Amino acid sequence: MRKRIRLVSLTGTLLTILFITVFGFRAAHHSMAAFQNEAHPYRVDVVEEMFQVELQGFRSYTFSELIDRSVEEPELLSLLASVSSICVKGCEEEPIVFMKLNKGYVVYEQDGEAKLLQVHLSNDGWKEQK
């Protein structure tokens, strides 16, 4: 019985996070054309140079794309929750996520400054790497 209550509670929490995220970021959705535009601050080559990271083989996703993918890949919910908690403080652009297997980077902008969050996939879902 406790297992069932815990499962229902966890599912409810994850669905609530998903719905808050979907409605919160859908309003600020930027098209992929803007991402590919040379002036966009989150182009792969700019991110590599700015943060001294190697992104070869990584695939980039807008936050909205990750929301759509999370329907088929529920492990992304933990990543969405992490990014949502960061952006509660105010992201100026839609975050861009670079993912490759169990490693990823989240690029976002706060207070006029581009920031990078490194994440990894563990047994408990996506976690911030320290």
Side-chain angles (χ1 to χ4, degrees):
M1 183 70 172
R2 283 185 169 179
K3 253 185 169 177
R4 188 175 203 164
I5 292 172
R6 185 174 178 206
L7 179 63
V8 169
S9 175
L10 179 61
T11 303
T13 302
L14 291 175
L15 286 174
T16 301
I17 290 170
L18 178 64
F19 281 95
I20 290 170
T21 303
V22 168
F23 293 116
F25 281 104
R26 285 288 176 179
H29 177 69
H30 295 118
S31 68
M32 278 306 287
F35 174 75
Q36 294 172 355
N37 180 352
E38 282 205 20
H40 197 281
Y42 298 145
R43 278 192 25 207
V44 172
D45 58 337
V46 173
V47 171
E48 286 180 327
E49 185 178 321
M50 186 182 298
F51 296 106
Q52 301 298 309
V53 294
E54 174 64 43
L55 296 176
Q56 185 169 351
F58 281 73
R59 177 144 158 71
S60 63
Y61 300 93
T62 63
F63 193 75
S64 298
E65 288 176 320
L66 283 181
I67 292 169
D68 295 339
R69 286 190 64 185
S70 69
V71 173
E72 295 174 6
E73 299 175 45
E75 67 274 2
L76 291 175
L77 290 173
S78 58
L79 179 57
L80 290 170
S82 294
V83 176
S84 292
S85 68
I86 291 168
C87 286
V88 164
K89 300 171 189 166
C91 288
E92 295 163 15
E93 297 283 334
E94 181 177 23
I96 302 294
V97 178
F98 297 93
M99 294 172 56
K100 179 180 177 182
L101 301 174
N102 63 346
K103 185 176 182 180
Y105 297 98
V106 180
V107 180
Y108 60 100
E109 190 173 335
Q110 279 183 340
D111 303 322
E113 183 181 337
K115 298 184 179 189
L116 180 80
L117 174 68
Q118 189 172 355
V119 294
H120 71 281
L121 182 62
S122 68
N123 292 339
D124 299 328
W126 286 92
K127 304 279 185 193
E128 181 179 342
Q129 189 165 335
K130 299 183 184 202

